Amino acid sequence: MYFPDAPWRMSLSSLPGFILLLISHHFQIVNAERFKVTGPNQPVVAFLDEDAVLPCCFSPALSAEHMQVRWFRTGFDSVVHLYEDGRDQIWKQIPEYQGRTEQLRSHISNGNVSLRIRNITLYDEGIYTCFIRIDPYYEEATVELKVVGLGSPLSISVNDYQDRGIRVMCESAGWYPKPEVTWKQENGHSLTSLSETETQEHNGLFNVRTHLLMRTNQYGKISCRIRNTVVNQERQSVIFIADAFYQRVSRWKVSVSILLVSVLILCGFLVMLVVYHLKKERQVKAAISGQVTRLLAEFQNLSANVECLTAKLEWIKRCNYAVDVTLDPETAHPDLLLSEDLKSVQWRKRNQNVPDTPVRFDTDSCVLGCEGFTSGRHYWEVEVGDAGFWRLGVCKDSVKRKRHITLSPENGYWTIQRWHGYKYSALTTPMKTQLFPRETPQAVGIFLDCEAGNVSFYNADNNSHLYTFTNSFTEKFKPFFWTFFANVPLRIRPVSAWEIENWAQD
């Protein structure tokens, strides 16, 4: 072996140190040759919208701080997460995982290189490969991730009468994978063979509708159960129908026959009476009918006008506090492209060469407004168009901006989001609050009332209210914008005085 920095002319006193160096180098090579990467024997199960940890470790327990740890799916270059040269190489990730993964560091010095994936979606289900390189050797292990979704609470009801019996309906939505449906008596006996079940798929999730036809009350109390077979968790609803109800059902045809005869006799009498008076009262009835129709139409128009006027007045009230918001390029993530007028932002994944200052977001694709608010009321509107991923709101000027951030009021963020193009929610804790707007918002209005401690969100096109946060605001607040994996920019649109005057005149 040749050492260019150390000549062979060495004293005898340095010989023991040289021998120890050779022995240490030999053991490192032996350990690298014999190391083994292992994953779990069973699939990892994760719930929708929650986090999942993919276990991976290697033995002997060497430190992986200066090794290459690569997580990928279908191909070596479809990188889910890459850790190399002592840091995360986030710009090499495929777009679906950017800002959602974290290499766990707490036990990396002991050979544990497990990976965390946040906000699990149906797309994440599948096989992952954990690849470890200790030059010139490498090993890998696979981890299977199964995604599950527990549906909504069961809705059970008596739907209608049929064939001298009753039909009990049970419904639930949002299951994954396709669940198992069972009906049971109070004593545990299965009634599933007497039922019919319909399952429909919507956005990858399964909606279940099942019904059971009962002709006698011999079953007493019955239960509907829908179970997720992966995690063996189920939802259950119970219904009890008294004997008197069945007695009414069994007498249904007799009661209807008697009622039908009575109705026919009464109708015949009324027809004769109407024919007798029709000629004399035709004009009066026509006049009354016309007046009633006109009054109903006017009442409906008045109700619609009142509702529209109320919405206009609320919007005009907010517009009195309209502010001119611009984007702060010093805070923008390198993947965000701002317009020259600093009024719009779009995700481009360009990783622009910008200085990494303390105020710039370096992991999550966020940008703040230049304006800061400590008191008063302030209103601005943001066009979101058909963008499938966005988050808007306000945040404290002192929030954390480095590495991954969790948007919540406890961390200084008051925001709402659109996720996967169809799910709307307010980012509250401990759980997100689902939002169900009547119309898809093309623009969002944000109203900050510092004294009242409120941040309210509106569909700016029809002025419908979306959500309001309530808190105590004592610091400087700034407008907050987040966009990801979208070809549609977020644009701050002006609220013009001309538009307000036209609404007021209308």
PDB file of all heavy atoms in Angstrom, residues 347-381:
ATOM      1  N   TRP A 347     -46.220  27.401  -8.626  1.00  0.00           N
ATOM      2  CA  TRP A 347     -45.209  26.371  -8.347  1.00  0.00           C
ATOM      3  C   TRP A 347     -44.614  25.898  -9.666  1.00  0.00           C
ATOM      4  O   TRP A 347     -45.326  25.468 -10.567  1.00  0.00           O
ATOM      5  CB  TRP A 347     -45.862  25.218  -7.604  1.00  0.00           C
ATOM      6  CG  TRP A 347     -44.904  24.113  -7.244  1.00  0.00           C
ATOM      7  CD1 TRP A 347     -44.079  24.057  -6.168  1.00  0.00           C
ATOM      8  CD2 TRP A 347     -44.702  22.897  -7.950  1.00  0.00           C
ATOM      9  NE1 TRP A 347     -43.364  22.906  -6.161  1.00  0.00           N
ATOM     10  CE2 TRP A 347     -43.723  22.153  -7.252  1.00  0.00           C
ATOM     11  CE3 TRP A 347     -45.227  22.359  -9.115  1.00  0.00           C
ATOM     12  CZ2 TRP A 347     -43.278  20.914  -7.664  1.00  0.00           C
ATOM     13  CZ3 TRP A 347     -44.788  21.120  -9.524  1.00  0.00           C
ATOM     14  CH2 TRP A 347     -43.826  20.413  -8.813  1.00  0.00           C
ATOM     15  N   ARG A 348     -43.279  25.978  -9.786  1.00  0.00           N
ATOM     16  CA  ARG A 348     -42.612  25.608 -11.023  1.00  0.00           C
ATOM     17  C   ARG A 348     -41.541  24.540 -10.860  1.00  0.00           C
ATOM     18  O   ARG A 348     -41.022  24.029 -11.830  1.00  0.00           O
ATOM     19  CB  ARG A 348     -41.961  26.851 -11.646  1.00  0.00           C
ATOM     20  CG  ARG A 348     -42.961  27.801 -12.259  1.00  0.00           C
ATOM     21  CD  ARG A 348     -43.665  27.180 -13.423  1.00  0.00           C
ATOM     22  NE  ARG A 348     -44.404  28.164 -14.205  1.00  0.00           N
ATOM     23  CZ  ARG A 348     -45.165  27.887 -15.233  1.00  0.00           C
ATOM     24  NH1 ARG A 348     -45.293  26.626 -15.609  1.00  0.00           N
ATOM     25  NH2 ARG A 348     -45.818  28.817 -15.893  1.00  0.00           N
ATOM     26  N   LYS A 349     -41.136  24.202  -9.613  1.00  0.00           N
ATOM     27  CA  LYS A 349     -40.080  23.240  -9.338  1.00  0.00           C
ATOM     28  C   LYS A 349     -38.812  23.586 -10.119  1.00  0.00           C
ATOM     29  O   LYS A 349     -38.192  22.757 -10.764  1.00  0.00           O
ATOM     30  CB  LYS A 349     -40.515  21.816  -9.674  1.00  0.00           C
ATOM     31  CG  LYS A 349     -39.597  20.770  -9.042  1.00  0.00           C
ATOM     32  CD  LYS A 349     -39.885  19.400  -9.529  1.00  0.00           C
ATOM     33  CE  LYS A 349     -38.855  18.419  -8.991  1.00  0.00           C
ATOM     34  NZ  LYS A 349     -39.035  17.063  -9.495  1.00  0.00           N
ATOM     35  N   ARG A 350     -38.425  24.859 -10.036  1.00  0.00           N
ATOM     36  CA  ARG A 350     -37.201  25.276 -10.713  1.00  0.00           C
ATOM     37  C   ARG A 350     -35.995  25.311  -9.785  1.00  0.00           C
ATOM     38  O   ARG A 350     -34.865  25.373 -10.234  1.00  0.00           O
ATOM     39  CB  ARG A 350     -37.407  26.660 -11.320  1.00  0.00           C
ATOM     40  CG  ARG A 350     -38.412  26.665 -12.481  1.00  0.00           C
ATOM     41  CD  ARG A 350     -38.478  28.023 -13.127  1.00  0.00           C
ATOM     42  NE  ARG A 350     -39.327  28.004 -14.308  1.00  0.00           N
ATOM     43  CZ  ARG A 350     -39.548  29.060 -15.083  1.00  0.00           C
ATOM     44  NH1 ARG A 350     -38.975  30.223 -14.800  1.00  0.00           N
ATOM     45  NH2 ARG A 350     -40.356  28.977 -16.135  1.00  0.00           N
ATOM     46  N   ASN A 351     -36.276  25.276  -8.470  1.00  0.00           N
ATOM     47  CA  ASN A 351     -35.195  25.371  -7.485  1.00  0.00           C
ATOM     48  C   ASN A 351     -34.262  26.535  -7.834  1.00  0.00           C
ATOM     49  O   ASN A 351     -33.075  26.362  -8.073  1.00  0.00           O
ATOM     50  CB  ASN A 351     -34.425  24.058  -7.404  1.00  0.00           C
ATOM     51  CG  ASN A 351     -33.602  23.977  -6.128  1.00  0.00           C
ATOM     52  OD1 ASN A 351     -33.860  24.713  -5.179  1.00  0.00           O
ATOM     53  ND2 ASN A 351     -32.627  23.105  -6.124  1.00  0.00           N
ATOM     54  N   GLN A 352     -34.853  27.730  -7.886  1.00  0.00           N
ATOM     55  CA  GLN A 352     -34.115  28.907  -8.298  1.00  0.00           C
ATOM     56  C   GLN A 352     -32.941  29.186  -7.349  1.00  0.00           C
ATOM     57  O   GLN A 352     -33.002  28.903  -6.165  1.00  0.00           O
ATOM     58  CB  GLN A 352     -35.055  30.108  -8.323  1.00  0.00           C
ATOM     59  CG  GLN A 352     -36.272  29.871  -9.222  1.00  0.00           C
ATOM     60  CD  GLN A 352     -37.287  30.980  -9.085  1.00  0.00           C
ATOM     61  OE1 GLN A 352     -37.171  32.006  -9.745  1.00  0.00           O
ATOM     62  NE2 GLN A 352     -38.258  30.784  -8.222  1.00  0.00           N
ATOM     63  N   ASN A 353     -31.917  29.735  -7.914  1.00  0.00           N
ATOM     64  CA  ASN A 353     -30.711  30.037  -7.150  1.00  0.00           C
ATOM     65  C   ASN A 353     -30.928  31.348  -6.398  1.00  0.00           C
ATOM     66  O   ASN A 353     -30.604  32.423  -6.884  1.00  0.00           O
ATOM     67  CB  ASN A 353     -29.506  30.130  -8.091  1.00  0.00           C
ATOM     68  CG  ASN A 353     -28.209  30.293  -7.305  1.00  0.00           C
ATOM     69  OD1 ASN A 353     -28.167  30.036  -6.102  1.00  0.00           O
ATOM     70  ND2 ASN A 353     -27.156  30.718  -7.984  1.00  0.00           N
ATOM     71  N   VAL A 354     -31.514  31.248  -5.217  1.00  0.00           N
ATOM     72  CA  VAL A 354     -31.781  32.420  -4.391  1.00  0.00           C
ATOM     73  C   VAL A 354     -31.079  32.235  -3.051  1.00  0.00           C
ATOM     74  O   VAL A 354     -30.870  31.104  -2.605  1.00  0.00           O
ATOM     75  CB  VAL A 354     -33.295  32.628  -4.172  1.00  0.00           C
ATOM     76  CG1 VAL A 354     -33.974  32.973  -5.490  1.00  0.00           C
ATOM     77  CG2 VAL A 354     -33.930  31.378  -3.587  1.00  0.00           C
ATOM     78  N   PRO A 355     -30.709  33.314  -2.386  1.00  0.00           N
ATOM     79  CA  PRO A 355     -30.004  33.173  -1.094  1.00  0.00           C
ATOM     80  C   PRO A 355     -30.897  32.570  -0.021  1.00  0.00           C
ATOM     81  O   PRO A 355     -32.082  32.872   0.058  1.00  0.00           O
ATOM     82  CB  PRO A 355     -29.631  34.624  -0.750  1.00  0.00           C
ATOM     83  CG  PRO A 355     -30.573  35.470  -1.547  1.00  0.00           C
ATOM     84  CD  PRO A 355     -30.847  34.719  -2.805  1.00  0.00           C
ATOM     85  N   ASP A 356     -30.324  31.692   0.800  1.00  0.00           N
ATOM     86  CA  ASP A 356     -31.071  31.048   1.894  1.00  0.00           C
ATOM     87  C   ASP A 356     -30.989  31.947   3.128  1.00  0.00           C
ATOM     88  O   ASP A 356     -30.085  31.827   3.937  1.00  0.00           O
ATOM     89  CB  ASP A 356     -30.491  29.662   2.176  1.00  0.00           C
ATOM     90  CG  ASP A 356     -31.308  28.929   3.236  1.00  0.00           C
ATOM     91  OD1 ASP A 356     -32.436  29.388   3.531  1.00  0.00           O
ATOM     92  OD2 ASP A 356     -30.812  27.918   3.757  1.00  0.00           O
ATOM     93  N   THR A 357     -31.947  32.887   3.235  1.00  0.00           N
ATOM     94  CA  THR A 357     -31.970  33.827   4.348  1.00  0.00           C
ATOM     95  C   THR A 357     -32.828  33.279   5.477  1.00  0.00           C
ATOM     96  O   THR A 357     -33.620  32.363   5.272  1.00  0.00           O
ATOM     97  CB  THR A 357     -32.518  35.176   3.877  1.00  0.00           C
ATOM     98  OG1 THR A 357     -33.866  34.980   3.443  1.00  0.00           O
ATOM     99  CG2 THR A 357     -31.689  35.709   2.712  1.00  0.00           C
ATOM    100  N   PRO A 358     -32.729  33.846   6.692  1.00  0.00           N
ATOM    101  CA  PRO A 358     -33.538  33.345   7.821  1.00  0.00           C
ATOM    102  C   PRO A 358     -35.037  33.465   7.590  1.00  0.00           C
ATOM    103  O   PRO A 358     -35.808  32.726   8.193  1.00  0.00           O
ATOM    104  CB  PRO A 358     -33.082  34.225   8.999  1.00  0.00           C
ATOM    105  CG  PRO A 358     -31.712  34.679   8.622  1.00  0.00           C
ATOM    106  CD  PRO A 358     -31.721  34.837   7.139  1.00  0.00           C
ATOM    107  N   VAL A 359     -35.497  34.383   6.705  1.00  0.00           N
ATOM    108  CA  VAL A 359     -36.938  34.575   6.533  1.00  0.00           C
ATOM    109  C   VAL A 359     -37.510  33.730   5.403  1.00  0.00           C
ATOM    110  O   VAL A 359     -38.718  33.723   5.186  1.00  0.00           O
ATOM    111  CB  VAL A 359     -37.257  36.061   6.266  1.00  0.00           C
ATOM    112  CG1 VAL A 359     -36.838  36.923   7.441  1.00  0.00           C
ATOM    113  CG2 VAL A 359     -36.602  36.545   4.979  1.00  0.00           C
ATOM    114  N   ARG A 360     -36.686  32.979   4.673  1.00  0.00           N
ATOM    115  CA  ARG A 360     -37.156  32.221   3.512  1.00  0.00           C
ATOM    116  C   ARG A 360     -37.559  30.802   3.918  1.00  0.00           C
ATOM    117  O   ARG A 360     -36.873  30.137   4.690  1.00  0.00           O
ATOM    118  CB  ARG A 360     -36.084  32.167   2.432  1.00  0.00           C
ATOM    119  CG  ARG A 360     -36.567  31.530   1.125  1.00  0.00           C
ATOM    120  CD  ARG A 360     -35.451  31.466   0.081  1.00  0.00           C
ATOM    121  NE  ARG A 360     -34.856  32.752  -0.196  1.00  0.00           N
ATOM    122  CZ  ARG A 360     -35.373  33.664  -0.995  1.00  0.00           C
ATOM    123  NH1 ARG A 360     -36.530  33.415  -1.605  1.00  0.00           N
ATOM    124  NH2 ARG A 360     -34.761  34.819  -1.186  1.00  0.00           N
ATOM    125  N   PHE A 361     -38.692  30.311   3.375  1.00  0.00           N
ATOM    126  CA  PHE A 361     -39.109  28.923   3.567  1.00  0.00           C
ATOM    127  C   PHE A 361     -38.219  28.021   2.702  1.00  0.00           C
ATOM    128  O   PHE A 361     -38.060  28.270   1.500  1.00  0.00           O
ATOM    129  CB  PHE A 361     -40.578  28.737   3.176  1.00  0.00           C
ATOM    130  CG  PHE A 361     -41.534  29.445   4.080  1.00  0.00           C
ATOM    131  CD1 PHE A 361     -41.942  30.750   3.831  1.00  0.00           C
ATOM    132  CD2 PHE A 361     -42.034  28.813   5.212  1.00  0.00           C
ATOM    133  CE1 PHE A 361     -42.832  31.403   4.668  1.00  0.00           C
ATOM    134  CE2 PHE A 361     -42.938  29.455   6.054  1.00  0.00           C
ATOM    135  CZ  PHE A 361     -43.322  30.754   5.786  1.00  0.00           C
ATOM    136  N   ASP A 362     -37.635  26.958   3.301  1.00  0.00           N
ATOM    137  CA  ASP A 362     -36.699  26.119   2.555  1.00  0.00           C
ATOM    138  C   ASP A 362     -37.234  24.729   2.248  1.00  0.00           C
ATOM    139  O   ASP A 362     -36.607  23.977   1.479  1.00  0.00           O
ATOM    140  CB  ASP A 362     -35.362  26.007   3.302  1.00  0.00           C
ATOM    141  CG  ASP A 362     -35.518  25.254   4.620  1.00  0.00           C
ATOM    142  OD1 ASP A 362     -36.669  24.996   5.024  1.00  0.00           O
ATOM    143  OD2 ASP A 362     -34.490  24.922   5.239  1.00  0.00           O
ATOM    144  N   THR A 363     -38.377  24.311   2.826  1.00  0.00           N
ATOM    145  CA  THR A 363     -38.899  22.956   2.581  1.00  0.00           C
ATOM    146  C   THR A 363     -40.319  22.999   2.029  1.00  0.00           C
ATOM    147  O   THR A 363     -40.607  22.369   1.023  1.00  0.00           O
ATOM    148  CB  THR A 363     -38.867  22.131   3.883  1.00  0.00           C
ATOM    149  OG1 THR A 363     -37.511  22.046   4.345  1.00  0.00           O
ATOM    150  CG2 THR A 363     -39.406  20.735   3.638  1.00  0.00           C
ATOM    151  N   ASP A 364     -41.232  23.708   2.688  1.00  0.00           N
ATOM    152  CA  ASP A 364     -42.608  23.819   2.220  1.00  0.00           C
ATOM    153  C   ASP A 364     -42.730  25.007   1.267  1.00  0.00           C
ATOM    154  O   ASP A 364     -42.167  26.087   1.522  1.00  0.00           O
ATOM    155  CB  ASP A 364     -43.554  23.986   3.408  1.00  0.00           C
ATOM    156  CG  ASP A 364     -43.598  22.734   4.252  1.00  0.00           C
ATOM    157  OD1 ASP A 364     -44.394  21.850   3.934  1.00  0.00           O
ATOM    158  OD2 ASP A 364     -42.815  22.635   5.219  1.00  0.00           O
ATOM    159  N   SER A 365     -43.487  24.827   0.178  1.00  0.00           N
ATOM    160  CA  SER A 365     -43.564  25.835  -0.885  1.00  0.00           C
ATOM    161  C   SER A 365     -44.511  26.968  -0.468  1.00  0.00           C
ATOM    162  O   SER A 365     -45.650  27.042  -0.933  1.00  0.00           O
ATOM    163  CB  SER A 365     -44.023  25.192  -2.188  1.00  0.00           C
ATOM    164  OG  SER A 365     -45.192  24.423  -1.996  1.00  0.00           O
ATOM    165  N   CYS A 366     -44.031  27.838   0.407  1.00  0.00           N
ATOM    166  CA  CYS A 366     -44.831  28.939   0.971  1.00  0.00           C
ATOM    167  C   CYS A 366     -44.226  30.280   0.591  1.00  0.00           C
ATOM    168  O   CYS A 366     -43.042  30.391   0.276  1.00  0.00           O
ATOM    169  CB  CYS A 366     -44.895  28.835   2.503  1.00  0.00           C
ATOM    170  SG  CYS A 366     -45.326  27.218   3.120  1.00  0.00           S
ATOM    171  N   VAL A 367     -45.042  31.335   0.684  1.00  0.00           N
ATOM    172  CA  VAL A 367     -44.603  32.717   0.557  1.00  0.00           C
ATOM    173  C   VAL A 367     -45.561  33.581   1.370  1.00  0.00           C
ATOM    174  O   VAL A 367     -46.746  33.266   1.490  1.00  0.00           O
ATOM    175  CB  VAL A 367     -44.562  33.154  -0.921  1.00  0.00           C
ATOM    176  CG1 VAL A 367     -45.955  33.095  -1.554  1.00  0.00           C
ATOM    177  CG2 VAL A 367     -43.988  34.566  -1.064  1.00  0.00           C
ATOM    178  N   LEU A 368     -45.039  34.659   1.965  1.00  0.00           N
ATOM    179  CA  LEU A 368     -45.842  35.567   2.779  1.00  0.00           C
ATOM    180  C   LEU A 368     -46.084  36.877   2.042  1.00  0.00           C
ATOM    181  O   LEU A 368     -45.397  37.204   1.072  1.00  0.00           O
ATOM    182  CB  LEU A 368     -45.142  35.853   4.114  1.00  0.00           C
ATOM    183  CG  LEU A 368     -44.819  34.660   5.001  1.00  0.00           C
ATOM    184  CD1 LEU A 368     -44.203  35.138   6.309  1.00  0.00           C
ATOM    185  CD2 LEU A 368     -46.045  33.807   5.261  1.00  0.00           C
ATOM    186  N   GLY A 369     -47.079  37.638   2.514  1.00  0.00           N
ATOM    187  CA  GLY A 369     -47.302  38.968   2.004  1.00  0.00           C
ATOM    188  C   GLY A 369     -46.330  39.958   2.625  1.00  0.00           C
ATOM    189  O   GLY A 369     -45.807  39.756   3.729  1.00  0.00           O
ATOM    190  N   CYS A 370     -46.069  41.047   1.926  1.00  0.00           N
ATOM    191  CA  CYS A 370     -45.163  42.075   2.460  1.00  0.00           C
ATOM    192  C   CYS A 370     -45.807  42.805   3.639  1.00  0.00           C
ATOM    193  O   CYS A 370     -45.113  43.223   4.571  1.00  0.00           O
ATOM    194  CB  CYS A 370     -44.814  43.084   1.371  1.00  0.00           C
ATOM    195  SG  CYS A 370     -43.799  42.421   0.037  1.00  0.00           S
ATOM    196  N   GLU A 371     -47.126  42.933   3.597  1.00  0.00           N
ATOM    197  CA  GLU A 371     -47.821  43.741   4.592  1.00  0.00           C
ATOM    198  C   GLU A 371     -47.968  42.982   5.916  1.00  0.00           C
ATOM    199  O   GLU A 371     -48.224  41.780   5.918  1.00  0.00           O
ATOM    200  CB  GLU A 371     -49.207  44.133   4.076  1.00  0.00           C
ATOM    201  CG  GLU A 371     -49.193  45.065   2.861  1.00  0.00           C
ATOM    202  CD  GLU A 371     -48.741  44.352   1.593  1.00  0.00           C
ATOM    203  OE1 GLU A 371     -48.867  43.111   1.545  1.00  0.00           O
ATOM    204  OE2 GLU A 371     -48.254  45.029   0.687  1.00  0.00           O
ATOM    205  N   GLY A 372     -47.802  43.706   7.017  1.00  0.00           N
ATOM    206  CA  GLY A 372     -48.017  43.135   8.337  1.00  0.00           C
ATOM    207  C   GLY A 372     -49.108  43.901   9.069  1.00  0.00           C
ATOM    208  O   GLY A 372     -49.226  45.131   8.938  1.00  0.00           O
ATOM    209  N   PHE A 373     -49.935  43.182   9.833  1.00  0.00           N
ATOM    210  CA  PHE A 373     -51.074  43.799  10.511  1.00  0.00           C
ATOM    211  C   PHE A 373     -51.013  43.486  12.004  1.00  0.00           C
ATOM    212  O   PHE A 373     -50.834  42.334  12.397  1.00  0.00           O
ATOM    213  CB  PHE A 373     -52.384  43.278   9.938  1.00  0.00           C
ATOM    214  CG  PHE A 373     -52.464  43.355   8.437  1.00  0.00           C
ATOM    215  CD1 PHE A 373     -52.527  42.183   7.678  1.00  0.00           C
ATOM    216  CD2 PHE A 373     -52.448  44.572   7.783  1.00  0.00           C
ATOM    217  CE1 PHE A 373     -52.600  42.226   6.299  1.00  0.00           C
ATOM    218  CE2 PHE A 373     -52.526  44.628   6.405  1.00  0.00           C
ATOM    219  CZ  PHE A 373     -52.595  43.460   5.661  1.00  0.00           C
ATOM    220  N   THR A 374     -51.153  44.528  12.830  1.00  0.00           N
ATOM    221  CA  THR A 374     -51.176  44.347  14.287  1.00  0.00           C
ATOM    222  C   THR A 374     -52.502  44.790  14.899  1.00  0.00           C
ATOM    223  O   THR A 374     -52.789  44.443  16.045  1.00  0.00           O
ATOM    224  CB  THR A 374     -50.030  45.146  14.933  1.00  0.00           C
ATOM    225  OG1 THR A 374     -50.153  46.524  14.565  1.00  0.00           O
ATOM    226  CG2 THR A 374     -48.677  44.601  14.482  1.00  0.00           C
ATOM    227  N   SER A 375     -53.310  45.559  14.130  1.00  0.00           N
ATOM    228  CA  SER A 375     -54.591  46.034  14.646  1.00  0.00           C
ATOM    229  C   SER A 375     -55.500  46.355  13.475  1.00  0.00           C
ATOM    230  O   SER A 375     -55.073  46.385  12.315  1.00  0.00           O
ATOM    231  CB  SER A 375     -54.403  47.282  15.523  1.00  0.00           C
ATOM    232  OG  SER A 375     -53.841  48.343  14.753  1.00  0.00           O
ATOM    233  N   GLY A 376     -56.801  46.568  13.777  1.00  0.00           N
ATOM    234  CA  GLY A 376     -57.755  46.959  12.753  1.00  0.00           C
ATOM    235  C   GLY A 376     -58.340  45.783  12.009  1.00  0.00           C
ATOM    236  O   GLY A 376     -58.165  44.623  12.374  1.00  0.00           O
ATOM    237  N   ARG A 377     -59.049  46.107  10.907  1.00  0.00           N
ATOM    238  CA  ARG A 377     -59.677  45.107  10.064  1.00  0.00           C
ATOM    239  C   ARG A 377     -59.108  45.210   8.656  1.00  0.00           C
ATOM    240  O   ARG A 377     -58.875  46.312   8.158  1.00  0.00           O
ATOM    241  CB  ARG A 377     -61.197  45.318  10.020  1.00  0.00           C
ATOM    242  CG  ARG A 377     -61.869  45.157  11.370  1.00  0.00           C
ATOM    243  CD  ARG A 377     -63.338  45.524  11.298  1.00  0.00           C
ATOM    244  NE  ARG A 377     -64.009  45.321  12.589  1.00  0.00           N
ATOM    245  CZ  ARG A 377     -65.278  45.639  12.829  1.00  0.00           C
ATOM    246  NH1 ARG A 377     -66.009  46.185  11.865  1.00  0.00           N
ATOM    247  NH2 ARG A 377     -65.802  45.417  14.013  1.00  0.00           N
ATOM    248  N   HIS A 378     -58.925  44.051   8.013  1.00  0.00           N
ATOM    249  CA  HIS A 378     -58.250  44.010   6.719  1.00  0.00           C
ATOM    250  C   HIS A 378     -58.878  42.909   5.867  1.00  0.00           C
ATOM    251  O   HIS A 378     -59.153  41.823   6.355  1.00  0.00           O
ATOM    252  CB  HIS A 378     -56.752  43.750   6.897  1.00  0.00           C
ATOM    253  CG  HIS A 378     -56.123  44.612   7.956  1.00  0.00           C
ATOM    254  ND1 HIS A 378     -55.702  45.895   7.721  1.00  0.00           N
ATOM    255  CD2 HIS A 378     -55.895  44.360   9.280  1.00  0.00           C
ATOM    256  CE1 HIS A 378     -55.214  46.411   8.850  1.00  0.00           C
ATOM    257  NE2 HIS A 378     -55.318  45.490   9.811  1.00  0.00           N
ATOM    258  N   TYR A 379     -59.078  43.205   4.551  1.00  0.00           N
ATOM    259  CA  TYR A 379     -59.730  42.252   3.652  1.00  0.00           C
ATOM    260  C   TYR A 379     -58.993  42.213   2.317  1.00  0.00           C
ATOM    261  O   TYR A 379     -58.596  43.261   1.779  1.00  0.00           O
ATOM    262  CB  TYR A 379     -61.188  42.674   3.415  1.00  0.00           C
ATOM    263  CG  TYR A 379     -61.936  41.777   2.460  1.00  0.00           C
ATOM    264  CD1 TYR A 379     -62.309  40.484   2.823  1.00  0.00           C
ATOM    265  CD2 TYR A 379     -62.268  42.219   1.177  1.00  0.00           C
ATOM    266  CE1 TYR A 379     -62.996  39.661   1.956  1.00  0.00           C
ATOM    267  CE2 TYR A 379     -62.961  41.402   0.300  1.00  0.00           C
ATOM    268  CZ  TYR A 379     -63.320  40.120   0.695  1.00  0.00           C
ATOM    269  OH  TYR A 379     -64.002  39.307  -0.172  1.00  0.00           O
ATOM    270  N   TRP A 380     -58.768  41.000   1.799  1.00  0.00           N
ATOM    271  CA  TRP A 380     -58.181  40.833   0.467  1.00  0.00           C
ATOM    272  C   TRP A 380     -58.743  39.567  -0.173  1.00  0.00           C
ATOM    273  O   TRP A 380     -59.282  38.702   0.503  1.00  0.00           O
ATOM    274  CB  TRP A 380     -56.657  40.800   0.516  1.00  0.00           C
ATOM    275  CG  TRP A 380     -56.064  39.670   1.294  1.00  0.00           C
ATOM    276  CD1 TRP A 380     -55.627  38.473   0.833  1.00  0.00           C
ATOM    277  CD2 TRP A 380     -55.835  39.642   2.717  1.00  0.00           C
ATOM    278  NE1 TRP A 380     -55.138  37.685   1.841  1.00  0.00           N
ATOM    279  CE2 TRP A 380     -55.247  38.384   3.019  1.00  0.00           C
ATOM    280  CE3 TRP A 380     -56.064  40.544   3.757  1.00  0.00           C
ATOM    281  CZ2 TRP A 380     -54.910  38.015   4.313  1.00  0.00           C
ATOM    282  CZ3 TRP A 380     -55.712  40.176   5.048  1.00  0.00           C
ATOM    283  CH2 TRP A 380     -55.140  38.935   5.312  1.00  0.00           C
ATOM    284  N   GLU A 381     -58.647  39.473  -1.501  1.00  0.00           N
ATOM    285  CA  GLU A 381     -59.187  38.335  -2.251  1.00  0.00           C
ATOM    286  C   GLU A 381     -58.095  37.694  -3.102  1.00  0.00           C
ATOM    287  O   GLU A 381     -57.238  38.393  -3.660  1.00  0.00           O
ATOM    288  CB  GLU A 381     -60.350  38.778  -3.148  1.00  0.00           C
ATOM    289  CG  GLU A 381     -61.554  39.267  -2.354  1.00  0.00           C
ATOM    290  CD  GLU A 381     -62.713  39.717  -3.237  1.00  0.00           C
ATOM    291  OE1 GLU A 381     -62.526  39.826  -4.471  1.00  0.00           O
ATOM    292  OE2 GLU A 381     -63.797  39.961  -2.695  1.00  0.00           O
TER     293      GLU A 381
END
